[in-house]
């Protein structure tokens, strides 16, 4: 994953390098024509190739304000920087470098194709501004947490994703997890995702996806509420400015401040609730793993005990059959000293009758052991499933109830404040 040592010294992106790169694009290219005929006009360059130049730091690109395509692969770049003026960039290749953190992309709002293949990246983040992103290549990095996939759900245009040769690609549920959590994805690791795979992934992770969608809806509702609160606050601020010009009483200013405080209180309460949701989710998941492990251990113990019961029954059967045949021989020879009950003596007719009777008893005992084992395993698995489902449902209901309580409380406070404001104005 690390770049091989290069005998060349690290180079700086200065004007000479950039002029040479533009000129090297050839007379057939528009940039090359400009370079030969009129001199280099960096603002007119649409495509720039700077690969295999041993570049250590991105710099001096501010003049390429209309650049659409930038190729910086196979260098020794350690940090993404110097791209803030490339707002029109559509295609960016930073593969085969030494980048550890995704950053410096906040202004690239038109970027559609981003390649960070073969770097040292361990976390997917700081891509929020790339609302048009369609292709993302992060193969051969150090990403090891599947939760990074959930972050990518916000990119509605993303259709192609490459994560091969990362630690997470070795996970057993790698493909199914990504297909479930990114349902609009068409290509994974440059292979098309068929509809059958998407349906299987959705069915496998349906419960988790439903819960995640619920949380996303809550967060969206929170954002919408915050936006509404901000708009309301702006209205109050405008009203405050007008009232100040009209020299309104101080009570009106206090009312506006209270309205802002209510908005801040709402944000604080919702933030605390979201933090609580995350903490409880982590606790519930840990409990689920522990209880599943305990149930698995219980089942192993049950199966071990039942295996011992079968061994005892087999030993009992062998001993009983041996005693029965010995008793039959004594009866035939007239050497039996004990008096047998009539119903028991009726079985000692011949060897086949004895063997069949003892075998039937043995089969019944084994069947009872098997049925008991199945009953115990089924009941413990059913109990575990019901317990986990109930915990998840209880947490969802708790969260919904709490969000409703917060909204009702904030609405009540705002209503009280509005009524107070109206009363003061009438006075």
């Amino acid at each position: 994953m690390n770049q091989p040592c290069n005998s060349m010294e690290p180079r700086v992106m200065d004007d000479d390098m950039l002029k040479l790169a533009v000129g090297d694009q050839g007379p057939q290219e528009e940039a090359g024509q400009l370079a030969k005929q009129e001199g280099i006009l960096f603002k007119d360059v649409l495509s720039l190739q700077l690969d295999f130049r041993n570049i250590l730091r991105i710099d001096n690109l501010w003049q390429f304000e209309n650049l659409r395509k930038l190729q910086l692969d196979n260098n020794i770049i350690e940090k993404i920087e110097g791209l803030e003026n490339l707002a029109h960039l559509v295609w960016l290749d930073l593969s085969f470098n030494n980048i550890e953190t995704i950053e410096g992309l906040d202004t690239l709002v038109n970027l559609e194709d981003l390649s960070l293949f073969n770097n040292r990246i361990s976390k997917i983040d700081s891509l929020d501004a790339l609302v048009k992103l369609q292709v993302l290549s992060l193969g051969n990095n150090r990403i090891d947490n599947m939760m990074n996939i959930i972050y990518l759900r916000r990119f509605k245009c993303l259709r192609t994703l490459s994560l091969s040769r990362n630690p997470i690609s070795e996970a057993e549920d790698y493909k199914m997890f990504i297909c479930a959590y990114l349902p609009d994805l068409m290509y994974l690791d440059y292979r098309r995702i068929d509809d059958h795979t998407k349906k299987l992934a959705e069915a496998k992770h349906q419960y988790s996806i439903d819960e995640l969608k619920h949380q996303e809806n809550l967060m969206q509702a929170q954002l919408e509420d915050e936006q509404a609160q901000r708009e309301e606050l702006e209205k109050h601020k405008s009203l405050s400015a007008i009232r100040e010009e009209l020299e309104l009483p101080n009570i009106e200013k206090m009312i506006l401040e209270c309205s802002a405080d209510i908005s801040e209180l709402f944000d604080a309460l919702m933030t605390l609730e979201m933090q609580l949701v995350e903490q409880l989710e982590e606790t519930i998941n840990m409990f689920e793993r522990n209880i599943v492990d305990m149930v698995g251990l219980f089942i192993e113990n049950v199966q071990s005990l039942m295996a011992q019961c079968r061994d005892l029954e087999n030993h009992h059967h062998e001993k009983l059959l041996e005693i029965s045949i010995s008793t039959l021989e004594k009866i035939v020879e007239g050497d039996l000293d004990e008096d047998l009950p009539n119903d028991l003596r009726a079985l000692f007719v011949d060897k086949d009758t004895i063997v069949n009777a003892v075998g039937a008893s043995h089969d019944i005992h084994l069947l009872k052991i098997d049925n008991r084992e199945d009953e115990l395993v089924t009941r413990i698995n059913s109990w575990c499933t019901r317990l986990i489902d109930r915990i998840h449902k209880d947490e969802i209901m708790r969260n919904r109830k709490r969000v409703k309580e917060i909204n009702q409380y904030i609405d009540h406070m705002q209503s009280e404040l509005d009524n107070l404001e109206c009363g003061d104005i009438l006075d």
Side-chain angles (χ1 to χ4, degrees), residues 119-132:
N119 279 280
R120 302 172 180 175
I121 298 168
S122 59
K123 183 179 180 181
I124 307 175
D125 61 358
S126 302
L127 297 171
D128 299 45
L130 311 187
V131 294
K132 297 182 180 180

Side-chain angles (χ1 to χ4, degrees), residues 2-4 6 8 50-56 71-77 93-99 115 117-119:
N2 297 337
Q3 301 301 312
N6 197 316
M8 296 175 57
L50 293 168
D51 53 331
F52 293 99
R53 295 176 189 265
N54 227 45
I55 295 171
L56 177 63
Q71 191 168 339
L72 284 166
D73 59 283
N74 290 279
N75 286 292
I76 53 174
I77 298 169
D93 188 354
L94 285 166
S95 56
F96 292 94
N97 280 287
N98 297 324
I99 299 168
S115 178
F117 183 85
N118 202 95
N119 279 280

Side-chain angles (χ1 to χ4, degrees), residues 153-414:
R153 286 174 60 83
R154 68 191 65 193
F155 301 100
K156 304 304 180 183
C157 298
L158 188 62
R159 296 294 179 269
T160 300
L161 176 64
S162 173
L163 288 169
S164 61
R165 297 170 66 185
N166 276 281
I168 61 171
S169 65
E170 304 298 326
E172 181 179 356
D173 200 33
Y174 165 70
K175 184 175 182 180
M176 286 296 181
F177 188 92
I178 293 179
C179 292
Y181 281 85
L182 302 178
D184 296 325
L185 203 64
M186 298 178 63
Y187 295 91
L188 175 60
D189 298 333
Y190 304 104
R191 293 185 179 181
R192 185 172 180 84
I193 304 173
D194 56 78
D195 294 337
H196 179 65
T197 300
K198 289 184 178 181
K199 291 180 180 178
L200 289 177
E202 181 182 2
K204 183 174 183 180
H205 294 274
Q206 182 177 4
Y207 185 87
S208 298
I209 294 296
D210 290 343
E211 187 173 359
L212 179 59
K213 287 181 178 179
H214 170 64
Q215 297 300 331
E216 290 174 343
N217 291 336
L218 288 178
M219 293 183 67
Q220 181 62 30
Q222 179 183 352
L223 292 175
E224 292 174 356
D225 288 340
E226 290 176 353
Q227 180 63 26
Q229 293 286 343
R230 283 193 293 268
E231 292 176 357
E232 187 68 21
L233 183 58
E234 289 299 324
K235 292 179 181 179
H236 281 293
K237 287 181 179 179
S238 300
L239 181 60
S240 176
I242 295 173
R243 287 175 174 172
E244 286 177 359
E245 292 177 0
L246 298 176
E247 298 182 350
L248 290 176
N250 290 334
I251 186 67
E252 297 299 326
K253 296 180 182 179
M254 295 177 62
I255 290 175
L256 292 178
E257 293 175 357
C258 289
S259 180
D261 290 341
I262 291 174
S263 298
E264 293 180 2
L265 175 61
F266 173 80
D267 294 342
L269 290 175
M270 291 300 293
T271 300
L272 289 173
E273 174 58 19
M274 292 304 298
Q275 291 174 353
L276 179 59
V277 168
E278 294 176 358
Q279 293 171 1
L280 288 176
E281 181 180 3
E282 182 178 352
T283 302
I284 291 172
N285 290 337
M286 182 180 299
F287 172 79
E288 181 176 348
R289 290 192 296 269
N290 291 336
I291 197 68
V292 168
D293 291 342
M294 291 176 61
V295 168
L297 182 60
F298 174 80
I299 291 175
E300 290 179 4
N301 290 334
V302 167
Q303 292 173 340
S304 175
L305 290 173
M306 291 303 172
Q308 295 179 28
C309 289
R310 292 187 187 92
D311 292 340
L312 291 173
E313 170 57 27
N314 290 331
H315 181 71
H316 169 74
H317 169 68
E318 293 174 0
K319 290 296 184 180
L320 181 60
L321 184 60
E322 179 182 341
I323 293 172
S324 299
I325 293 175
S326 175
T327 302
L328 176 62
E329 292 175 353
K330 290 181 179 179
I331 291 175
V332 172
E333 295 173 358
D335 295 337
L336 185 64
D337 297 332
E338 301 177 4
D339 290 333
L340 298 177
N342 293 332
D343 52 351
L344 181 59
R345 184 178 290 275
L347 295 175
F348 291 93
V349 178
D350 53 35
K351 185 176 181 179
D352 289 340
T353 302
I354 288 297
V355 171
N356 290 337
V358 174
S361 174
H362 178 57
D363 292 339
I364 291 173
H365 291 166
L366 289 178
L367 180 61
K368 288 184 176 181
I369 294 172
D370 291 341
N371 290 341
R372 184 57 176 167
E373 179 181 359
D374 292 340
E375 179 185 0
L376 288 172
V377 172
T378 301
R379 285 175 60 187
I380 191 63
N381 282 327
S382 177
W383 171 82
C384 181
T385 300
R386 289 196 307 270
L387 175 62
I388 294 172
D389 287 344
R390 188 175 73 251
I391 292 174
H392 282 290
K393 290 177 181 178
D394 288 347
E395 166 55 15
I396 291 173
M397 294 304 297
R398 183 209 64 78
N399 175 248
R400 291 177 179 175
K401 182 178 179 181
R402 183 55 52 85
V403 171
K404 183 178 179 181
E405 289 176 352
I406 293 173
N407 281 295
Q408 288 177 343
Y409 177 64
I410 295 298
D411 290 343
H412 171 73
M413 293 185 66
Q414 189 64 52

Side-chain angles (χ1 to χ4, degrees), residues 98-111:
N98 297 324
I99 299 168
E100 297 183 358
T101 303
I102 301 176
E103 57 187 337
L105 304 173
D106 296 339
T107 61
L108 307 186
V109 294
N110 290 299
L111 197 65

